[in-house]
PDB file of all heavy atoms in Angstrom:
ATOM      1  N   SER A 785       0.871  -1.167  -0.011  1.00  0.00           N
ATOM      2  CA  SER A 785       0.006  -0.024  -0.021  1.00  0.00           C
ATOM      3  C   SER A 785       0.870   1.265  -0.019  1.00  0.00           C
ATOM      4  O   SER A 785       2.047   1.205   0.387  1.00  0.00           O
ATOM      5  CB  SER A 785      -0.942   0.060   1.214  1.00  0.00           C
ATOM      6  OG  SER A 785      -0.218  -0.063   2.390  1.00  0.00           O
ATOM      7  N   SER A 786       0.320   2.375  -0.419  1.00  0.00           N
ATOM      8  CA  SER A 786       1.023   3.570  -0.402  1.00  0.00           C
ATOM      9  C   SER A 786       1.106   4.184   0.986  1.00  0.00           C
ATOM     10  O   SER A 786       0.340   3.741   1.821  1.00  0.00           O
ATOM     11  CB  SER A 786       0.264   4.649  -1.377  1.00  0.00           C
ATOM     12  OG  SER A 786       0.254   4.157  -2.706  1.00  0.00           O
ATOM     13  N   GLY A 787       2.051   5.088   1.135  1.00  0.00           N
ATOM     14  CA  GLY A 787       2.079   5.781   2.455  1.00  0.00           C
ATOM     15  C   GLY A 787       3.227   5.359   3.349  1.00  0.00           C
ATOM     16  O   GLY A 787       4.066   4.535   2.959  1.00  0.00           O
ATOM     17  N   ASN A 788       3.219   5.860   4.498  1.00  0.00           N
ATOM     18  CA  ASN A 788       4.234   5.681   5.504  1.00  0.00           C
ATOM     19  C   ASN A 788       3.962   4.362   6.295  1.00  0.00           C
ATOM     20  O   ASN A 788       3.558   4.295   7.470  1.00  0.00           O
ATOM     21  CB  ASN A 788       4.280   6.884   6.483  1.00  0.00           C
ATOM     22  CG  ASN A 788       5.407   6.773   7.425  1.00  0.00           C
ATOM     23  OD1 ASN A 788       6.495   6.243   7.081  1.00  0.00           O
ATOM     24  ND2 ASN A 788       5.245   7.362   8.549  1.00  0.00           N
ATOM     25  N   ILE A 789       4.170   3.233   5.561  1.00  0.00           N
ATOM     26  CA  ILE A 789       3.682   1.897   6.064  1.00  0.00           C
ATOM     27  C   ILE A 789       4.733   1.282   7.039  1.00  0.00           C
ATOM     28  O   ILE A 789       4.310   0.348   7.772  1.00  0.00           O
ATOM     29  CB  ILE A 789       3.361   1.013   4.948  1.00  0.00           C
ATOM     30  CG1 ILE A 789       4.675   0.708   3.969  1.00  0.00           C
ATOM     31  CG2 ILE A 789       2.234   1.530   4.077  1.00  0.00           C
ATOM     32  CD1 ILE A 789       4.443  -0.386   2.973  1.00  0.00           C
ATOM     33  N   THR A 790       5.930   1.687   7.058  1.00  0.00           N
ATOM     34  CA  THR A 790       6.943   1.062   7.890  1.00  0.00           C
ATOM     35  C   THR A 790       8.098   2.031   8.129  1.00  0.00           C
ATOM     36  O   THR A 790       7.915   3.267   7.825  1.00  0.00           O
ATOM     37  CB  THR A 790       7.409  -0.278   7.271  1.00  0.00           C
ATOM     38  OG1 THR A 790       8.306  -0.941   8.264  1.00  0.00           O
ATOM     39  CG2 THR A 790       8.216  -0.074   5.983  1.00  0.00           C
ATOM     40  N   THR A 791       9.167   1.601   8.596  1.00  0.00           N
ATOM     41  CA  THR A 791      10.310   2.476   8.949  1.00  0.00           C
ATOM     42  C   THR A 791      11.284   2.470   7.743  1.00  0.00           C
ATOM     43  O   THR A 791      11.675   1.434   7.287  1.00  0.00           O
ATOM     44  CB  THR A 791      11.049   1.939  10.184  1.00  0.00           C
ATOM     45  OG1 THR A 791      10.144   1.840  11.265  1.00  0.00           O
ATOM     46  CG2 THR A 791      12.236   2.917  10.570  1.00  0.00           C
ATOM     47  N   GLY A 792      11.636   3.614   7.319  1.00  0.00           N
ATOM     48  CA  GLY A 792      12.604   3.752   6.211  1.00  0.00           C
ATOM     49  C   GLY A 792      12.784   5.179   5.762  1.00  0.00           C
ATOM     50  O   GLY A 792      12.349   6.150   6.413  1.00  0.00           O
ATOM     51  N   THR A 793      13.428   5.366   4.652  1.00  0.00           N
ATOM     52  CA  THR A 793      13.778   6.681   4.137  1.00  0.00           C
ATOM     53  C   THR A 793      13.276   6.837   2.738  1.00  0.00           C
ATOM     54  O   THR A 793      13.606   6.100   1.843  1.00  0.00           O
ATOM     55  CB  THR A 793      15.314   6.929   4.131  1.00  0.00           C
ATOM     56  OG1 THR A 793      15.866   6.637   5.381  1.00  0.00           O
ATOM     57  CG2 THR A 793      15.698   8.257   3.645  1.00  0.00           C
ATOM     58  N   THR A 794      12.396   7.830   2.469  1.00  0.00           N
ATOM     59  CA  THR A 794      11.903   8.077   1.152  1.00  0.00           C
ATOM     60  C   THR A 794      13.030   8.786   0.327  1.00  0.00           C
ATOM     61  O   THR A 794      13.979   9.295   0.835  1.00  0.00           O
ATOM     62  CB  THR A 794      10.684   8.947   1.131  1.00  0.00           C
ATOM     63  OG1 THR A 794      11.028  10.313   1.589  1.00  0.00           O
ATOM     64  CG2 THR A 794       9.614   8.431   2.050  1.00  0.00           C
ATOM     65  N   ILE A 795      12.851   8.840  -0.925  1.00  0.00           N
ATOM     66  CA  ILE A 795      13.763   9.479  -1.947  1.00  0.00           C
ATOM     67  C   ILE A 795      13.916  10.839  -1.573  1.00  0.00           C
ATOM     68  O   ILE A 795      15.014  11.468  -1.560  1.00  0.00           O
ATOM     69  CB  ILE A 795      13.454   9.132  -3.282  1.00  0.00           C
ATOM     70  CG1 ILE A 795      13.701   7.616  -3.617  1.00  0.00           C
ATOM     71  CG2 ILE A 795      14.315   9.926  -4.274  1.00  0.00           C
ATOM     72  CD1 ILE A 795      13.235   7.144  -4.954  1.00  0.00           C
ATOM     73  N   LEU A 796      12.774  11.556  -1.279  1.00  0.00           N
ATOM     74  CA  LEU A 796      12.840  12.969  -0.946  1.00  0.00           C
ATOM     75  C   LEU A 796      13.588  13.227   0.327  1.00  0.00           C
ATOM     76  O   LEU A 796      14.493  14.091   0.454  1.00  0.00           O
ATOM     77  CB  LEU A 796      11.400  13.525  -0.805  1.00  0.00           C
ATOM     78  CG  LEU A 796      11.288  15.003  -0.316  1.00  0.00           C
ATOM     79  CD1 LEU A 796      11.939  15.945  -1.360  1.00  0.00           C
ATOM     80  CD2 LEU A 796       9.848  15.423  -0.102  1.00  0.00           C
ATOM     81  N   GLN A 797      13.375  12.339   1.299  1.00  0.00           N
ATOM     82  CA  GLN A 797      14.123  12.451   2.568  1.00  0.00           C
ATOM     83  C   GLN A 797      15.657  12.285   2.315  1.00  0.00           C
ATOM     84  O   GLN A 797      16.482  13.012   2.914  1.00  0.00           O
ATOM     85  CB  GLN A 797      13.625  11.500   3.580  1.00  0.00           C
ATOM     86  CG  GLN A 797      12.220  11.772   4.113  1.00  0.00           C
ATOM     87  CD  GLN A 797      11.662  10.691   4.992  1.00  0.00           C
ATOM     88  OE1 GLN A 797      11.924   9.495   4.744  1.00  0.00           O
ATOM     89  NE2 GLN A 797      10.710  11.009   5.817  1.00  0.00           N
ATOM     90  N   ALA A 798      15.993  11.289   1.415  1.00  0.00           N
ATOM     91  CA  ALA A 798      17.294  11.084   1.081  1.00  0.00           C
ATOM     92  C   ALA A 798      17.922  12.169   0.381  1.00  0.00           C
ATOM     93  O   ALA A 798      19.174  12.568   0.558  1.00  0.00           O
ATOM     94  CB  ALA A 798      17.405   9.787   0.215  1.00  0.00           C
ATOM     95  N   ILE A 799      17.182  12.805  -0.468  1.00  0.00           N
ATOM     96  CA  ILE A 799      17.716  14.111  -1.182  1.00  0.00           C
ATOM     97  C   ILE A 799      18.035  15.152  -0.179  1.00  0.00           C
ATOM     98  O   ILE A 799      19.166  15.784  -0.245  1.00  0.00           O
ATOM     99  CB  ILE A 799      16.689  14.546  -2.275  1.00  0.00           C
ATOM    100  CG1 ILE A 799      16.586  13.587  -3.403  1.00  0.00           C
ATOM    101  CG2 ILE A 799      17.069  15.913  -2.721  1.00  0.00           C
ATOM    102  CD1 ILE A 799      15.370  13.871  -4.337  1.00  0.00           C
ATOM    103  N   ASN A 800      17.178  15.426   0.783  1.00  0.00           N
ATOM    104  CA  ASN A 800      17.482  16.371   1.836  1.00  0.00           C
ATOM    105  C   ASN A 800      18.708  16.071   2.588  1.00  0.00           C
ATOM    106  O   ASN A 800      19.409  16.981   3.049  1.00  0.00           O
ATOM    107  CB  ASN A 800      16.248  16.484   2.695  1.00  0.00           C
ATOM    108  CG  ASN A 800      15.138  17.434   2.113  1.00  0.00           C
ATOM    109  OD1 ASN A 800      15.415  18.612   1.753  1.00  0.00           O
ATOM    110  ND2 ASN A 800      13.967  16.891   1.939  1.00  0.00           N
ATOM    111  N   SER A 801      18.951  14.778   2.820  1.00  0.00           N
ATOM    112  CA  SER A 801      20.129  14.373   3.516  1.00  0.00           C
ATOM    113  C   SER A 801      21.440  14.513   2.653  1.00  0.00           C
ATOM    114  O   SER A 801      22.528  14.649   3.240  1.00  0.00           O
ATOM    115  CB  SER A 801      19.969  12.943   4.092  1.00  0.00           C
ATOM    116  OG  SER A 801      18.917  12.818   4.933  1.00  0.00           O
ATOM    117  N   ALA A 802      21.343  14.393   1.367  1.00  0.00           N
ATOM    118  CA  ALA A 802      22.440  14.314   0.548  1.00  0.00           C
ATOM    119  C   ALA A 802      23.116  15.619   0.209  1.00  0.00           C
ATOM    120  O   ALA A 802      24.281  15.715   0.017  1.00  0.00           O
ATOM    121  CB  ALA A 802      22.065  13.579  -0.805  1.00  0.00           C
ATOM    122  N   VAL A 803      22.261  16.669   0.180  1.00  0.00           N
ATOM    123  CA  VAL A 803      22.780  17.962  -0.287  1.00  0.00           C
ATOM    124  C   VAL A 803      23.484  18.777   0.835  1.00  0.00           C
ATOM    125  O   VAL A 803      23.249  18.436   2.035  1.00  0.00           O
ATOM    126  CB  VAL A 803      21.639  18.806  -0.932  1.00  0.00           C
ATOM    127  CG1 VAL A 803      20.983  18.069  -2.140  1.00  0.00           C
ATOM    128  CG2 VAL A 803      20.576  19.128   0.176  1.00  0.00           C
ATOM    129  N   SER A 804      24.107  19.818   0.413  1.00  0.00           N
ATOM    130  CA  SER A 804      24.770  20.707   1.428  1.00  0.00           C
ATOM    131  C   SER A 804      23.721  21.510   2.137  1.00  0.00           C
ATOM    132  O   SER A 804      22.624  21.662   1.685  1.00  0.00           O
ATOM    133  CB  SER A 804      25.803  21.596   0.758  1.00  0.00           C
ATOM    134  OG  SER A 804      25.118  22.603  -0.099  1.00  0.00           O
ATOM    135  N   SER A 805      24.142  22.128   3.241  1.00  0.00           N
ATOM    136  CA  SER A 805      23.199  22.856   4.094  1.00  0.00           C
ATOM    137  C   SER A 805      22.683  24.117   3.388  1.00  0.00           C
ATOM    138  O   SER A 805      21.721  24.751   3.707  1.00  0.00           O
ATOM    139  CB  SER A 805      23.874  23.241   5.375  1.00  0.00           C
ATOM    140  OG  SER A 805      25.042  23.926   5.149  1.00  0.00           O
ATOM    141  N   SER A 806      23.497  24.600   2.331  1.00  0.00           N
ATOM    142  CA  SER A 806      23.097  25.761   1.618  1.00  0.00           C
ATOM    143  C   SER A 806      22.262  25.531   0.475  1.00  0.00           C
ATOM    144  O   SER A 806      21.755  26.513  -0.127  1.00  0.00           O
ATOM    145  CB  SER A 806      24.468  26.425   1.079  1.00  0.00           C
ATOM    146  OG  SER A 806      25.110  25.597   0.181  1.00  0.00           O
ATOM    147  N   THR A 807      21.898  24.264   0.128  1.00  0.00           N
ATOM    148  CA  THR A 807      21.075  23.965  -1.003  1.00  0.00           C
ATOM    149  C   THR A 807      19.601  24.025  -0.522  1.00  0.00           C
ATOM    150  O   THR A 807      19.188  23.457   0.499  1.00  0.00           O
ATOM    151  CB  THR A 807      21.377  22.521  -1.579  1.00  0.00           C
ATOM    152  OG1 THR A 807      22.754  22.570  -1.968  1.00  0.00           O
ATOM    153  CG2 THR A 807      20.498  22.219  -2.731  1.00  0.00           C
ATOM    154  N   GLN A 808      18.792  24.640  -1.339  1.00  0.00           N
ATOM    155  CA  GLN A 808      17.297  24.667  -1.085  1.00  0.00           C
ATOM    156  C   GLN A 808      16.670  23.560  -1.891  1.00  0.00           C
ATOM    157  O   GLN A 808      16.838  23.453  -3.099  1.00  0.00           O
ATOM    158  CB  GLN A 808      16.795  26.012  -1.502  1.00  0.00           C
ATOM    159  CG  GLN A 808      15.274  26.236  -1.311  1.00  0.00           C
ATOM    160  CD  GLN A 808      14.765  27.559  -1.811  1.00  0.00           C
ATOM    161  OE1 GLN A 808      15.466  28.231  -2.571  1.00  0.00           O
ATOM    162  NE2 GLN A 808      13.535  27.915  -1.366  1.00  0.00           N
ATOM    163  N   VAL A 809      15.914  22.706  -1.194  1.00  0.00           N
ATOM    164  CA  VAL A 809      15.173  21.680  -1.800  1.00  0.00           C
ATOM    165  C   VAL A 809      13.686  22.001  -1.739  1.00  0.00           C
ATOM    166  O   VAL A 809      13.121  22.214  -0.651  1.00  0.00           O
ATOM    167  CB  VAL A 809      15.346  20.273  -1.147  1.00  0.00           C
ATOM    168  CG1 VAL A 809      14.564  19.225  -1.807  1.00  0.00           C
ATOM    169  CG2 VAL A 809      16.883  19.944  -1.248  1.00  0.00           C
ATOM    170  N   ILE A 810      12.952  22.083  -2.863  1.00  0.00           N
ATOM    171  CA  ILE A 810      11.628  22.398  -3.005  1.00  0.00           C
ATOM    172  C   ILE A 810      10.845  21.179  -3.580  1.00  0.00           C
ATOM    173  O   ILE A 810      11.302  20.642  -4.513  1.00  0.00           O
ATOM    174  CB  ILE A 810      11.383  23.613  -3.875  1.00  0.00           C
ATOM    175  CG1 ILE A 810      12.028  24.875  -3.249  1.00  0.00           C
ATOM    176  CG2 ILE A 810       9.889  23.940  -4.085  1.00  0.00           C
ATOM    177  CD1 ILE A 810      11.957  26.125  -4.144  1.00  0.00           C
ATOM    178  N   PHE A 811       9.780  20.845  -2.910  1.00  0.00           N
ATOM    179  CA  PHE A 811       8.936  19.720  -3.360  1.00  0.00           C
ATOM    180  C   PHE A 811       7.561  20.100  -3.850  1.00  0.00           C
ATOM    181  O   PHE A 811       6.847  20.843  -3.143  1.00  0.00           O
ATOM    182  CB  PHE A 811       8.783  18.641  -2.280  1.00  0.00           C
ATOM    183  CG  PHE A 811       7.882  17.500  -2.641  1.00  0.00           C
ATOM    184  CD1 PHE A 811       8.200  16.663  -3.763  1.00  0.00           C
ATOM    185  CD2 PHE A 811       6.797  17.204  -1.957  1.00  0.00           C
ATOM    186  CE1 PHE A 811       7.309  15.613  -4.159  1.00  0.00           C
ATOM    187  CE2 PHE A 811       5.930  16.156  -2.253  1.00  0.00           C
ATOM    188  CZ  PHE A 811       6.265  15.440  -3.299  1.00  0.00           C
ATOM    189  N   SER A 812       7.183  19.742  -5.032  1.00  0.00           N
ATOM    190  CA  SER A 812       5.882  19.962  -5.580  1.00  0.00           C
ATOM    191  C   SER A 812       5.423  18.631  -6.233  1.00  0.00           C
ATOM    192  O   SER A 812       6.012  18.245  -7.238  1.00  0.00           O
ATOM    193  CB  SER A 812       5.806  21.176  -6.583  1.00  0.00           C
ATOM    194  OG  SER A 812       4.620  21.080  -7.325  1.00  0.00           O
ATOM    195  N   GLN A 813       4.470  17.969  -5.716  1.00  0.00           N
ATOM    196  CA  GLN A 813       4.049  16.666  -6.202  1.00  0.00           C
ATOM    197  C   GLN A 813       3.639  16.673  -7.643  1.00  0.00           C
ATOM    198  O   GLN A 813       3.982  15.812  -8.386  1.00  0.00           O
ATOM    199  CB  GLN A 813       2.894  16.120  -5.322  1.00  0.00           C
ATOM    200  CG  GLN A 813       2.621  14.646  -5.646  1.00  0.00           C
ATOM    201  CD  GLN A 813       1.814  13.935  -4.574  1.00  0.00           C
ATOM    202  OE1 GLN A 813       2.238  13.932  -3.440  1.00  0.00           O
ATOM    203  NE2 GLN A 813       0.709  13.369  -4.918  1.00  0.00           N
ATOM    204  N   ASN A 814       2.935  17.789  -8.130  1.00  0.00           N
ATOM    205  CA  ASN A 814       2.454  17.780  -9.456  1.00  0.00           C
ATOM    206  C   ASN A 814       3.391  18.483 -10.444  1.00  0.00           C
ATOM    207  O   ASN A 814       3.080  18.649 -11.597  1.00  0.00           O
ATOM    208  CB  ASN A 814       1.082  18.471  -9.501  1.00  0.00           C
ATOM    209  CG  ASN A 814       1.203  19.961  -9.213  1.00  0.00           C
ATOM    210  OD1 ASN A 814       2.205  20.553  -9.041  1.00  0.00           O
ATOM    211  ND2 ASN A 814      -0.020  20.648  -9.179  1.00  0.00           N
ATOM    212  N   GLY A 815       4.573  18.892  -9.982  1.00  0.00           N
ATOM    213  CA  GLY A 815       5.651  19.438 -10.827  1.00  0.00           C
ATOM    214  C   GLY A 815       5.528  20.890 -11.154  1.00  0.00           C
ATOM    215  O   GLY A 815       6.283  21.332 -12.052  1.00  0.00           O
ATOM    216  N   THR A 816       4.589  21.569 -10.569  1.00  0.00           N
ATOM    217  CA  THR A 816       4.489  23.016 -10.872  1.00  0.00           C
ATOM    218  C   THR A 816       5.368  23.837  -9.913  1.00  0.00           C
ATOM    219  O   THR A 816       5.566  23.443  -8.761  1.00  0.00           O
ATOM    220  CB  THR A 816       3.038  23.528 -10.731  1.00  0.00           C
ATOM    221  OG1 THR A 816       2.532  23.228  -9.487  1.00  0.00           O
ATOM    222  CG2 THR A 816       2.140  22.940 -11.769  1.00  0.00           C
ATOM    223  N   GLY A 817       5.917  24.967 -10.379  1.00  0.00           N
ATOM    224  CA  GLY A 817       6.700  25.737  -9.474  1.00  0.00           C
ATOM    225  C   GLY A 817       8.195  25.534  -9.492  1.00  0.00           C
ATOM    226  O   GLY A 817       8.900  25.918  -8.558  1.00  0.00           O
ATOM    227  N   GLY A 818       8.691  24.922 -10.579  1.00  0.00           N
ATOM    228  CA  GLY A 818      10.132  24.606 -10.611  1.00  0.00           C
ATOM    229  C   GLY A 818      10.984  25.690 -11.210  1.00  0.00           C
ATOM    230  O   GLY A 818      12.244  25.479 -11.267  1.00  0.00           O
ATOM    231  N   GLU A 819      10.506  26.837 -11.545  1.00  0.00           N
ATOM    232  CA  GLU A 819      11.284  27.853 -12.237  1.00  0.00           C
ATOM    233  C   GLU A 819      12.447  28.235 -11.343  1.00  0.00           C
ATOM    234  O   GLU A 819      12.302  28.419 -10.083  1.00  0.00           O
ATOM    235  CB  GLU A 819      10.442  29.087 -12.526  1.00  0.00           C
ATOM    236  CG  GLU A 819       9.342  28.808 -13.636  1.00  0.00           C
ATOM    237  CD  GLU A 819       8.076  28.058 -13.112  1.00  0.00           C
ATOM    238  OE1 GLU A 819       8.015  27.913 -11.822  1.00  0.00           O
ATOM    239  OE2 GLU A 819       7.239  27.853 -13.893  1.00  0.00           O
ATOM    240  N   GLY A 820      13.535  28.416 -11.972  1.00  0.00           N
ATOM    241  CA  GLY A 820      14.750  28.926 -11.281  1.00  0.00           C
ATOM    242  C   GLY A 820      15.572  27.886 -10.641  1.00  0.00           C
ATOM    243  O   GLY A 820      16.683  28.089 -10.024  1.00  0.00           O
ATOM    244  N   ALA A 821      15.211  26.602 -10.620  1.00  0.00           N
ATOM    245  CA  ALA A 821      15.959  25.534 -10.024  1.00  0.00           C
ATOM    246  C   ALA A 821      17.105  25.155 -10.839  1.00  0.00           C
ATOM    247  O   ALA A 821      17.037  25.292 -12.167  1.00  0.00           O
ATOM    248  CB  ALA A 821      15.040  24.307  -9.728  1.00  0.00           C
ATOM    249  N   ASP A 822      18.140  24.644 -10.294  1.00  0.00           N
ATOM    250  CA  ASP A 822      19.318  24.199 -11.033  1.00  0.00           C
ATOM    251  C   ASP A 822      19.066  22.792 -11.727  1.00  0.00           C
ATOM    252  O   ASP A 822      19.440  22.540 -12.758  1.00  0.00           O
ATOM    253  CB  ASP A 822      20.523  23.954 -10.091  1.00  0.00           C
ATOM    254  CG  ASP A 822      21.019  25.264  -9.473  1.00  0.00           C
ATOM    255  OD1 ASP A 822      21.383  26.185 -10.250  1.00  0.00           O
ATOM    256  OD2 ASP A 822      20.936  25.408  -8.258  1.00  0.00           O
ATOM    257  N   VAL A 823      18.247  22.008 -11.144  1.00  0.00           N
ATOM    258  CA  VAL A 823      17.833  20.715 -11.665  1.00  0.00           C
ATOM    259  C   VAL A 823      16.466  20.280 -11.024  1.00  0.00           C
ATOM    260  O   VAL A 823      16.204  20.685  -9.847  1.00  0.00           O
ATOM    261  CB  VAL A 823      18.892  19.639 -11.372  1.00  0.00           C
ATOM    262  CG1 VAL A 823      19.000  19.315  -9.869  1.00  0.00           C
ATOM    263  CG2 VAL A 823      18.730  18.385 -12.153  1.00  0.00           C
ATOM    264  N   ALA A 824      15.750  19.426 -11.739  1.00  0.00           N
ATOM    265  CA  ALA A 824      14.551  18.825 -11.218  1.00  0.00           C
ATOM    266  C   ALA A 824      14.787  17.376 -11.189  1.00  0.00           C
ATOM    267  O   ALA A 824      15.334  16.732 -12.052  1.00  0.00           O
ATOM    268  CB  ALA A 824      13.325  19.126 -12.079  1.00  0.00           C
ATOM    269  N   ILE A 825      14.310  16.790 -10.012  1.00  0.00           N
ATOM    270  CA  ILE A 825      14.303  15.294  -9.891  1.00  0.00           C
ATOM    271  C   ILE A 825      12.858  14.846  -9.766  1.00  0.00           C
ATOM    272  O   ILE A 825      12.179  15.288  -8.843  1.00  0.00           O
ATOM    273  CB  ILE A 825      15.072  14.871  -8.561  1.00  0.00           C
ATOM    274  CG1 ILE A 825      16.606  15.316  -8.672  1.00  0.00           C
ATOM    275  CG2 ILE A 825      15.064  13.282  -8.399  1.00  0.00           C
ATOM    276  CD1 ILE A 825      17.408  15.088  -7.402  1.00  0.00           C
ATOM    277  N   VAL A 826      12.413  14.065 -10.736  1.00  0.00           N
ATOM    278  CA  VAL A 826      11.007  13.740 -10.781  1.00  0.00           C
ATOM    279  C   VAL A 826      10.985  12.201 -10.589  1.00  0.00           C
ATOM    280  O   VAL A 826      11.489  11.426 -11.339  1.00  0.00           O
ATOM    281  CB  VAL A 826      10.420  14.127 -12.151  1.00  0.00           C
ATOM    282  CG1 VAL A 826       8.953  13.805 -12.185  1.00  0.00           C
ATOM    283  CG2 VAL A 826      10.665  15.581 -12.459  1.00  0.00           C
ATOM    284  N   VAL A 827      10.152  11.792  -9.559  1.00  0.00           N
ATOM    285  CA  VAL A 827      10.078  10.446  -9.106  1.00  0.00           C
ATOM    286  C   VAL A 827       8.700   9.915  -9.478  1.00  0.00           C
ATOM    287  O   VAL A 827       7.693  10.313  -8.812  1.00  0.00           O
ATOM    288  CB  VAL A 827      10.437  10.166  -7.653  1.00  0.00           C
ATOM    289  CG1 VAL A 827      10.606   8.676  -7.317  1.00  0.00           C
ATOM    290  CG2 VAL A 827      11.735  10.952  -7.333  1.00  0.00           C
ATOM    291  N   ILE A 828       8.517   9.092 -10.463  1.00  0.00           N
ATOM    292  CA  ILE A 828       7.256   8.639 -10.948  1.00  0.00           C
ATOM    293  C   ILE A 828       7.268   7.065 -11.068  1.00  0.00           C
ATOM    294  O   ILE A 828       8.194   6.423 -10.768  1.00  0.00           O
ATOM    295  CB  ILE A 828       6.962   9.198 -12.323  1.00  0.00           C
ATOM    296  CG1 ILE A 828       8.020   8.966 -13.326  1.00  0.00           C
ATOM    297  CG2 ILE A 828       6.733  10.736 -12.133  1.00  0.00           C
ATOM    298  CD1 ILE A 828       7.708   9.425 -14.766  1.00  0.00           C
TER     299      ILE A 828
END
């Protein structure tokens, strides 16, 4: 099933852990609002 079904790390959580403290991570489920980003990571 979808959702927070057990203990673990989602890809978004992993991205937040991987980047430097100066990097801004913005999440938009439907993909709108990405203007100005250096890169988009789309998980589908």
Side-chain angles (χ1 to χ4, degrees):
S785 58
S786 300
N788 189 27
I789 61 173
T790 187
T791 304
T793 305
T794 68
I795 292 172
L796 177 61
Q797 291 168 337
I799 290 169
N800 280 303
S801 297
V803 300
S804 71
S805 58
S806 62
T807 300
Q808 183 183 14
V809 177
I810 297 173
F811 175 58
S812 165
Q813 189 161 307
N814 69 3
T816 58
E819 292 81 5
D822 296 299
V823 69
I825 300 173
V826 185
V827 192
I828 58 174

